[in-house]
Amino acid sequence: MLVLRLLNVVAPAYFLCISLVTFVLQIFVFIPSMFRDPSITPLFSPALLHGAFFLFLSANALGNYVLVIQNSPEDLGKSLNLGKGTEVVTDWLDGSRSPGSALPSTHFCRLCARVTQRHDHHCFFTGNCIGSRNMRNFIMFCLYTSLACLDSLVAGMAYISAALSMSFANPLAFLTLLPHSISQFFSGALLSSEMFVILMLYLWLGIGLACAGFCCHQLLLILRGQTRYQVRKGMVVRARPWRENLQEVFGKRWLLGLLIPVMNVGSDYHRQKEK
């Protein structure tokens, strides 16, 4: 339990550090290296277009990250008079109060010390539980984080290709880049800044693929009207049309949420349906 609490503090700080390093490399290293063709007008130069696209991705990723933290799932322990503080923790841990007896999909999170409905999972990178109130913002956060990492990967490969005069036309070139770079770094043929960028390439690839896979998995569960907690506990959910499941999470203004970070309206739709 102590390890999980420590991870709940370290993971958000790790994500913010990676985000800061990515932003600095993009703005001060990759984008300035693109200003090389004087025949292209500044308005349509690759540097400005890439910079605008990266800022769009970063703003959406960071905006949805903040909204995931702000839109914390409601603590049902207060409204259901389940107790508070050490009292509710003790009762729920010793099994005297069952989550399933209160409301469907109700779960007590030990890290957050609260009871939430429509609980999906606890996200360590946000230090918060993911539920009906912040599910859409969490999916948008994963989507734009994946796109920002993959965009940084492409820009970093272009920078390394120009700096080291190498080509990535062969797919094996990227796979063999790291071992060759390590040997060149210790032999003094490679600068520390270039080695750092190469290490970031593999980190961006890993984070981008992980976020993309997690986003696709989460969308599949939403289409089926399930949460990860329900799947893990083997709970049977009522079959509904996939359009209703999507609207419950993304709301009617789903297109607006794809363009700018906005508050989650899925919970409002859920409350209106219950009334």
Side-chain angles (χ1 to χ4, degrees):
M1 190 62 182
L2 180 61
V3 176
L4 294 179
R5 291 187 180 276
L6 181 62
L7 181 62
N8 201 44
V9 176
V10 173
Y14 172 77
F15 170 77
L16 293 177
C17 289
I18 294 298
S19 301
L20 180 60
V21 171
T22 302
F23 183 83
V24 171
L25 287 177
Q26 283 271 20
I27 300 300
F28 296 102
V29 179
F30 299 158
I31 294 179
S33 65
M34 298 179 185
F35 287 98
R36 293 181 176 179
D37 191 353
S39 64
I40 302 178
T41 58
L43 183 60
F44 298 101
S45 63
L48 292 181
L49 294 178
H50 174 78
F53 181 66
F54 174 74
L55 291 177
F56 169 76
L57 297 179
S58 301
N60 275 277
L62 182 60
N64 283 287
Y65 180 82
V66 173
L67 291 177
V68 169
I69 300 176
Q70 283 186 343
N71 298 338
S72 300
E74 296 178 350
D75 188 358
L76 299 180
K78 299 178 181 179
S79 59
L80 297 175
N81 295 322
L82 298 177
K84 55 185 177 181
T86 57
E87 177 186 350
V88 65
V89 173
T90 304
D91 290 344
W92 282 69
L93 290 183
D94 63 14
S96 59
R97 284 173 176 164
S98 172
S101 63
L103 285 173
S105 305
T106 306
H107 175 67
F108 174 74
C109 179
R110 301 186 182 187
L111 296 175
C112 296
R114 61 187 173 196
V115 184
T116 59
Q117 188 183 14
R118 294 288 302 174
H119 176 87
D120 189 86
H121 68 283
H122 183 90
C123 177
F124 289 98
F125 285 99
T126 60
N128 199 9
C129 282
I130 306 301
S132 58
R133 294 186 61 185
N134 55 6
M135 175 58 72
R136 185 184 68 169
N137 296 125
F138 176 75
I139 294 177
M140 291 295 102
F141 160 69
C142 291
L143 174 63
Y144 280 105
T145 299
S146 174
L147 293 177
C149 288
L150 296 179
D151 175 79
S152 301
L153 174 64
V154 174
M157 290 176 62
Y159 172 79
I160 290 297
S161 177
L164 302 182
S165 300
M166 61 177 302
S167 175
F168 289 98
N170 186 357
L172 295 178
F174 184 80
L175 299 177
T176 58
L177 175 63
L178 184 59
H180 289 169
S181 301
I182 293 177
S183 61
Q184 291 180 0
F185 174 74
F186 285 106
S187 64
L190 191 66
L191 299 177
S192 58
S193 59
E194 296 172 345
M195 185 64 199
F196 179 75
V197 172
I198 292 174
L199 293 176
M200 290 299 299
L201 292 181
Y202 290 91
L203 185 61
W204 287 326
L205 177 63
I207 296 177
L209 293 180
C211 288
F214 196 88
C215 182
C216 294
H217 175 68
Q218 206 71 42
L219 286 175
L220 179 61
L221 292 178
I222 292 175
L223 290 174
R224 296 164 56 183
Q226 290 181 307
T227 63
R228 292 183 61 189
Y229 176 74
Q230 291 173 335
V231 174
R232 188 170 65 251
K233 294 297 182 179
M235 297 180 178
V236 180
V237 297
R238 180 171 60 90
R240 296 188 307 176
W242 61 271
R243 293 181 181 272
E244 292 185 12
N245 295 329
L246 283 178
Q247 188 176 7
E248 183 179 8
V249 174
F250 291 93
K252 297 181 179 180
R253 296 180 297 173
W254 61 271
L255 183 59
L256 182 63
L258 289 177
L259 301 177
I260 58 175
V262 293
M263 299 290 287
N264 193 354
V265 296
S267 56
D268 298 335
Y269 172 80
H270 183 66
R271 292 194 187 99
Q272 293 175 2
K273 189 172 182 180
E274 287 182 341
K275 293 180 180 180

